[in-house]
Amino acid sequence: MGVERAADAIRSMEVRGAGRIARYAAEAMKKLAQEYQGGSLEELRAELKSGGEKLIESRPTAVSLWNGVQSVMRGSGEASTLDDLRNIVVRNAEDFIDRSNRATQLIGQIGARRVNDGDRILTHCNSSVALSVIRTAFKEGKRISVFATESRPWRQGLITVRELAEDGIPVTMIVDSAVRWIMKDIDLVIVGADTIASNGAVINKIGTSQIALVAHEARVPFVVCAETYKFSSMTLSGKPVKIEERSAEEVAGSGELPEGVEVLNPVFDATPPEYIDYIVTEIGLIPPCASYEVIVRMLGHEFLFENQIE
Ligand code: RUB
C-alpha cells in the first residue's frame, strides 16, 4: 500500500470513519518509512512530508487524520541518520494505532456506565466509538435497543445496522427525517465525532446538529464519543474547520434531476456545545466546555504555537 493509494482509499471512502482513516494513514506512513529503498535521510524526510500532506488532504474535515500524521512525525526532526528516522516513524505509528484501539475500548467502558438497562438509543451514521459504547453496554447484560439513521446520501446506517445485528443487538433502521418522530421513544442519543473545536462544538456527519436540536427539545441526553485526537488544536489557533463537500452523484444519479438543478452535498455539520450533554473520551467523561483543557493538556502550548502559527 503506497501513500498515494492510501490517500485514494480514504478519499473514495473505501476506508472511512475518523478513527479508521487516522489509523490507516499512520499505517501508510509506517510502510513508507519501512519500504523506502534509497539511502538519503533528507530524501526520506521529504517523502514523509509530502506523503503526510497527501493523506491529510484526502479528507479535509476530520482532524483525526491531521493529528494521526502529526503523531507519527513527532520527534522526527531530531533524527540524525536514516535508521533513526525510520525507527521513530515506525514506533510512533505503532504507538498511535495502539493508543487509538485502546481508546476505542476505554470509551466503550466509560460510556457504557451511563447506559441504563432498557435504554432505547439513537445513533447516527457509523461511528466505531459510539458503537463501542453500545456493544459494551450490551455485553454487560443491559437490555438495550438501537435506532440507527439511514444517513443519506452515503447510507452508513446500513453498516451500523449490519454490525449491530451481527452482535445480536436489537436494531431498527429509520430514515433521517424520522428522527423527530422517534425521539419521544428514545432515552439516549450517542454519536461520534470527526473534529471537536476548542469551544466544544462537535463536527460530525451531516444531520448530527438537527438530531441534537431535536434531542434538546425532547430533553433526551445527547452524548458524543471521541478519542482525544479528534480535538482540534488548530481551532485554538484560530483556524476554522473546513466542511467537506462531496460530489452531486452521491445525492442523485445522472439523469435523475432536471437540467440546471444544482446539488449541494455538505457531508458534516457543527453541533453547538449547548446541545451536547457530555463527551466521552479515553481520559474520561467531560463537558464540551472542557475541550480547551483537553487540547492544551494533550498537545501542549509549545506544540500548538510552534507548529501552527506561520
Ligand atoms: C463518519 C462519521 C462518524 C465519525 C466518527 O463519516 O461522521 O460519525 O467519523 O467515526 P464518513 P469513528 O462516513 O463520511 O467518514 O467513531 O469511527 O471515528
Side-chain angles (χ1 to χ4, degrees):
M1 172 185 69
V3 160
E4 311 259 349
R5 165 77 192 100
D8 279 348
I10 295 172
R11 194 175 301 109
S12 66
M13 290 175 63
E14 192 184 309
V15 180
R16 48 146 298 282
R20 278 195 198 89
I21 60 176
R23 289 189 294 272
Y24 191 71
E27 188 65 39
M29 296 285 283
K30 174 182 151 182
K31 291 253 166 65
L32 196 163
Q34 280 175 328
E35 288 166 12
Y36 171 69
Q37 302 284 328
S40 153
L41 169 67
E42 288 318 314
E43 189 180 53
L44 177 57
R45 217 188 272 292
E47 284 194 17
L48 285 164
K49 185 170 185 297
S50 95
E53 282 165 5
K54 283 190 189 110
L55 289 162
I56 289 169
E57 281 159 15
S58 62
R59 288 211 71 187
T61 302
V63 78
S64 54
L65 206 47
W66 189 89
N67 277 330
V69 170
Q70 298 298 322
S71 296
V72 171
M73 295 306 292
R74 191 156 302 165
S76 62
E78 262 110 77
S80 53
T81 67
L82 186 57
D83 275 348
D84 266 0
L85 179 58
R86 192 176 271 137
N87 291 339
I88 290 173
V89 167
V90 169
R91 196 179 51 238
N92 282 348
E94 287 172 353
D95 282 354
F96 177 79
I97 294 167
D98 280 357
R99 190 158 67 87
S100 169
N101 287 326
R102 178 93 189 107
T104 306
Q105 271 183 358
L106 275 170
I107 289 170
Q109 288 161 10
I110 297 169
R113 293 197 172 129
R114 304 302 286 260
V115 175
N116 295 314
D117 189 30
D119 272 357
R120 287 152 304 178
I121 300 168
L122 175 72
T123 191
H124 184 47
C125 192
N126 176 258
S127 156
S128 45
V129 275
L131 293 192
S132 174
V133 171
I134 292 170
R135 283 194 181 103
T136 309
F138 185 73
K139 274 194 201 135
E140 287 172 353
K142 292 172 183 161
R143 285 160 297 177
I144 54 172
S145 57
V146 178
F147 289 84
T149 56
E150 181 186 13
S151 311
R152 278 273 298 154
W154 225 81
R155 306 184 81 202
Q156 288 91 335
L158 289 171
I159 307 172
T160 296
V161 295
R162 199 179 311 125
E163 289 184 356
L164 293 176
E166 272 168 14
D167 287 349
I169 301 174
V171 58
T172 305
M173 189 162 153
I174 56 167
V175 295
D176 300 314
S177 42
V179 163
R180 190 161 182 258
W181 187 84
I182 203 74
M183 196 56 82
K184 62 184 183 317
D185 299 324
I186 298 295
D187 301 294
L188 190 62
V189 178
I190 307 181
V191 298
D194 277 72
T195 292
I196 302 180
S198 58
N199 70 346
V202 166
I203 291 81
N204 189 49
K205 181 54 55 197
I206 191 81
T208 303
S209 67
Q210 282 176 194
I211 299 175
L213 204 58
V214 170
H216 185 76
E217 177 196 44
R219 305 282 189 271
V220 174
F222 184 89
V223 177
V224 174
C225 301
E227 307 89 318
T228 47
Y229 59 81
K230 309 254 177 87
F231 288 76
S232 166
S233 54
M234 281 177 281
T235 58
L236 195 55
S237 51
K239 212 168 163 194
V241 178
K242 184 173 167 31
I243 299 293
E244 178 184 2
E245 287 185 29
R246 294 182 67 88
S247 77
E249 285 80 66
E250 291 185 352
V251 177
S254 67
E256 277 188 301
L257 294 173
E259 189 87 359
V261 172
E262 294 195 0
V263 172
L264 197 59
N265 183 18
V267 295
F268 298 102
D269 67 17
T271 300
E274 54 271 30
Y275 296 123
I276 299 163
D277 286 83
Y278 53 89
I279 304 173
V280 189
T281 75
E282 74 275 21
I283 55 165
L285 195 144
I286 63 153
C289 62
S291 297
Y292 169 83
E293 286 295 327
V294 172
I295 294 170
V296 171
R297 283 182 57 182
M298 297 308 287
L299 302 174
H301 271 117
E302 276 171 46
F303 178 79
L304 292 177
F305 294 108
E306 273 175 22
N307 288 279
Q308 292 175 27
I309 305 284
E310 277 149 29

